[in-house]
Amino acid sequence: MSKIFIASIIFFLLSTVINESTAQTGADDRTGFYAPTDCSFGSSKPVDIVIKMDDAVELKGMVYYPTMDNGEISDQKFPVIIEMTPYPERNGPAPHIAYFNKHGYIFMIIRPRGTGGSEGEVQQFNSRDGLDGKTVAYWAGKQLKGSNGSVGLFGCSYPGATALVTAAVTDKSSPIKAVISACIGLDMQFRQVWSTNGLPNGALAAYAPNANFIMGNYPSINSYWSGFYDSLLAGGKEAYDGYWQDRLPLRWAKNIVENNIPVLLWGGWKDINETGAVQAYAAFQNAVNNIPVYKPMPKNIPVSAKYQLIMGDWGHGQGLEPLIFVQWYDTWIKGLKTGMETTKNPLHIYEIGSERWINTDRYPLVSEYSVYYLNPNQNLSTAKSSIAGTETINWTRPSQKNGKVTFSTSYFKDGITLAGPMSVTLYASSSNTNLELIASLYDVSQTGDSIRINFGAILGSQSELDMSRTWKDKKGNYIWPWPKLDKDIYLIPNQVNRFDISLATRQYAVKPGHKLVLQITTQSPETVCPDNGPVSFTAEPCGLTKPQSETLPGGVYTIYFSRKYPSALNLPLLPYTHFKSVDKSLPSPQQSVTDQRTYTLPVSWK
C-alpha cells in the first residue's frame, strides 16, 4: 500500500463529509430528526478574502453566501460559520458548505497561518492560532458583508482543534455564540493522538511523514511537520508534556466557560481521540460549577445544556450528521427552541454491545469500581490471591515466545455493563532500566469469539502519576491514572514497581454468558505496526523515540500478583442494559471510505 494511498485515506477521515445530494435537495424530514424551518437558499461561488492579524500576518480564505432562486447572493443578514482548516479542497467545495448556506448561514473557510497560502508559520493549534481565530471571528462579526454579527465555529479534527483554541483565547465580548468541535478533545494530543502516554503511535507515523500531501505542499507545512516528527523521535521537547501545555490543555475548558460559549463535542469510540472528548465534557461541566477541571464530576451538581457530547460507534471523521449541526447552531445562534437548550442530560452515549443510545448527565457514571485481581492459573477474581504468583513476559511481538500473557474472569451469567474509564494496576519489574506494557481488554463468548473493548499503554520511565489529576473512585482506586509525562525517570533493574495503566473509557454491554479477558503485551502486533510498509492510523504504540530505543530492547519483565502485590483490573460495572435507551435514527447517507449508514444517531435529548 503506497504512502499516497495512506495519506488519501487519512485526508478523507480528517475531512467533514456530508452527502451532497442531501445538502442540495432539502431532504431534512427524516423520521425523528430536527426539521429546520429555514432551508430555501442555494450556495454562491467562493468569494476570496484576506484578513490581517494583529502581527500583520495575512490569512487567506473564502466566503460562501446563501443565494436566492435566481442564483444571486441574498441581501438578507445571516450568522457566519467559520471553519479554520489547513486541508485543501481536492474536488471542489466540501458539501457541508452548501448545507449550511441552505439553512441560512454564511460559511467562511480560513487557512491557519502557514497553510493554504496564508502567511506565517504552522503552529498546530496553540494560543497563536487562537489569537488568529479571535481576529477572524471579530472581522466576520463586524466587517464581513452580509453578516448579522453572530458567529459560530465549526470543525472536525484539526479544524475542531482551532475552534476550541479560538473559543478559549477570545474574550467575553466575542461575537462567537456557539462551537461544534468534532473528532478532537482536550489534553489528549500527546496522550492518545500522536503518542500513547509518551510512546509514539501509528497515527503519528502515518500522518507526520505525509503531512505535505495531506495539508498541502507549502514550505511552512514541510518545515513544521518534518521538524516536529524528527524532534519527537529524537526525544526533543515535543516528546514531553511541556510542549503540549499550549496545545489543547484541559485548563482551556475553564476559559471557554468563562467566555460563555456553548460547545457541542462530537466523538466516536473508534476514534483516536475519544478520551479527550470525554475529558473535555467533564471539564466543561465542572467549570460551570467552579470545580477544578481536572477532577471527576461530583454527584448531584447541576449540568449545563450549553456543553454537550455525542459519542457514537464510529472512527475518526465519521458519523457526522448535518441536521444535528444545524440544530445546535439554530439553538444557540438563532435562539430557536429546538429541545437542545432544555436537556438535563447533555451526555449522549452509544452503548456498544446492546446497540442502544443513552442520555445521561455526568462522568464518571460509577462511583465505586469492581476490582478483579490477577490470580494464579491466569484467572481474574474479586479476591486477592492467597498464593504469590508471577508471569514473565519479554519485550517482543505478541506472536513471539513470551510475548503476551492473559487473565480471564468467569462467565457473567446475566451480563454486565462497563460504563466509564477503566484501569489496570500491575506490580512488575524489568531486567533493564525501562519497560513498555500494553493492556487490552476483550469480550469473549463461550464459543471463543473475541472483541477487543479497549486498550492502554504505559512507559516505565514516564509512569509517575500526577495525583492531582488522577481520577479515583470513592474507595481510592485509581480509575483514570494520569501520568505526568514530563521527564524520564528510569527504573532500577529487577526492582518491583507499581504501574497504573489507563484503559480507554467505554460504554459497553457484555452480553449474558460472556467473559472478560485481560491481555498484557509489550509491543503492538505486526498487523498494526509492521517492520516494513505502512502503519495503521491508530493510537496503538508504533515506534520508539531515541531514548526509548536505547532503554527498552532486550527487556524481560516479571508481573507479580499476591496480597503484597495486588495487581488488578479496575472496572466500572453496572447491571446489563442498566440505562434507559433513547430514540435513534439512521444518519444521512455520507460520502466516505465507509458506509456511514451502518451507524445510528440519537434524535432525543431528554
Side-chain angles (χ1 to χ4, degrees), residues 28 35-41 76 78 102-104 326 330 334:
D28 292 343
T37 57
D38 198 357
C39 56
S40 59
F41 298 101
Q76 294 184 42
F78 299 99
K102 179 179 71 171
H103 292 294
V326 169
D330 280 359
K334 294 184 178 179

Side-chain angles (χ1 to χ4, degrees), residues 212-256:
N212 62 339
F213 176 82
I214 301 166
M215 297 176 69
N217 192 18
Y218 294 92
S220 177
I221 290 172
N222 297 334
S223 174
Y224 176 83
W225 285 100
S226 62
F228 169 79
Y229 190 52
D230 291 346
S231 182
L232 192 153
L233 292 184
K237 64 181 184 298
E238 293 85 353
Y240 299 93
D241 195 51
Y243 180 80
W244 300 97
Q245 287 311 298
D246 191 39
R247 289 170 171 84
L248 299 184
L250 200 63
R251 70 175 184 274
W252 279 354
K254 187 173 187 294
N255 300 66
I256 293 170

Side-chain angles (χ1 to χ4, degrees), residues 78-345:
F78 299 99
V80 184
I81 305 300
I82 301 171
E83 182 177 13
M84 294 188 66
T85 176
Y87 299 119
E89 296 170 336
R90 303 285 168 118
N91 298 301
H96 66 273
I97 295 173
Y99 194 85
F100 282 116
N101 285 161
K102 179 179 71 171
H103 292 294
Y105 292 91
I106 298 170
F107 200 92
M108 281 178 58
I109 293 284
I110 299 295
R111 304 303 183 191
R113 58 179 60 206
T115 74
S118 290
E119 296 177 350
E121 301 299 322
V122 172
Q123 302 298 309
Q124 197 177 175
F125 39 79
N126 64 1
S127 56
R128 177 66 260 180
D129 274 339
L131 290 171
D132 291 347
K134 174 183 176 180
T135 299
V136 168
Y138 269 103
W139 186 91
K142 294 184 176 182
Q143 299 184 47
L144 177 65
K145 177 184 176 181
S147 169
N148 71 0
S150 294
V151 170
L153 305 180
F154 175 80
C156 167
S157 195
Y158 202 114
T162 59
L164 288 175
V165 60
T166 297
V169 172
T170 194
D171 54 46
K172 295 179 177 63
S173 301
S174 171
I176 301 169
K177 306 302 180 186
V179 169
I180 294 175
S181 181
C183 332
I184 200 73
L186 292 175
D187 231 341
M188 283 292 155
Q189 207 65 19
F190 185 57
R191 296 171 182 274
Q192 187 178 15
V193 180
W194 298 141
S195 84
T196 304
N197 286 330
L199 291 157
N201 61 28
L204 175 71
Y207 189 101
N210 296 301
N212 62 339
F213 176 82
I214 301 166
M215 297 176 69
N217 192 18
Y218 294 92
S220 177
I221 290 172
N222 297 334
S223 174
Y224 176 83
W225 285 100
S226 62
F228 169 79
Y229 190 52
D230 291 346
S231 182
L232 192 153
L233 292 184
K237 64 181 184 298
E238 293 85 353
Y240 299 93
D241 195 51
Y243 180 80
W244 300 97
Q245 287 311 298
D246 191 39
R247 289 170 171 84
L248 299 184
L250 200 63
R251 70 175 184 274
W252 279 354
K254 187 173 187 294
N255 300 66
I256 293 170
V257 169
E258 289 176 346
N259 289 331
N260 196 30
I261 300 175
V263 177
L264 174 62
L265 299 159
W266 194 289
W269 294 128
K270 297 174 184 174
D271 203 344
I272 57 169
N273 204 344
E274 78 280 14
T275 58
V278 172
Q279 274 272 348
Y281 171 80
F284 282 135
Q285 298 295 351
N286 278 352
V288 168
N289 290 278
N290 295 312
I291 295 168
V293 297
Y294 305 115
K295 301 294 185 182
M297 289 178 66
K299 280 188 173 182
N300 303 320
I301 63 169
V303 293
S304 171
K306 290 184 176 180
Y307 303 97
Q308 300 193 35
L309 167 62
I310 295 174
M311 180 64 71
D313 187 30
W314 45 66
H316 198 63
Q318 300 176 336
L320 304 168
E321 174 50 58
L323 284 181
I324 296 176
F325 295 160
V326 169
Q327 186 175 4
W328 184 256
Y329 290 131
D330 280 359
T331 302
W332 302 111
I333 296 181
K334 294 184 178 179
L336 301 180
K337 303 300 182 184
T338 70
M340 277 189 153
E341 77 284 1
T342 59
T343 182
K344 293 182 175 155
N345 291 297

Side-chain angles (χ1 to χ4, degrees), residues 75 85 119 136 256 278 280 341 438 442 452 469 502 520 566:
D75 58 4
T85 176
E119 296 177 350
V136 168
I256 293 170
V278 172
E341 77 284 1
I438 303 171
Y442 290 87
R452 187 163 77 163
R469 302 187 63 172
S502 173
I520 308 297

Side-chain angles (χ1 to χ4, degrees), residues 22 30 321 585-590 594-600:
T22 301
R30 286 172 290 124
E321 174 50 58
S585 187
L586 290 172
S588 57
Q590 298 186 10
T594 61
D595 178 11
Q596 297 286 308
R597 291 183 68 83
T598 60
Y599 310 125
T600 62

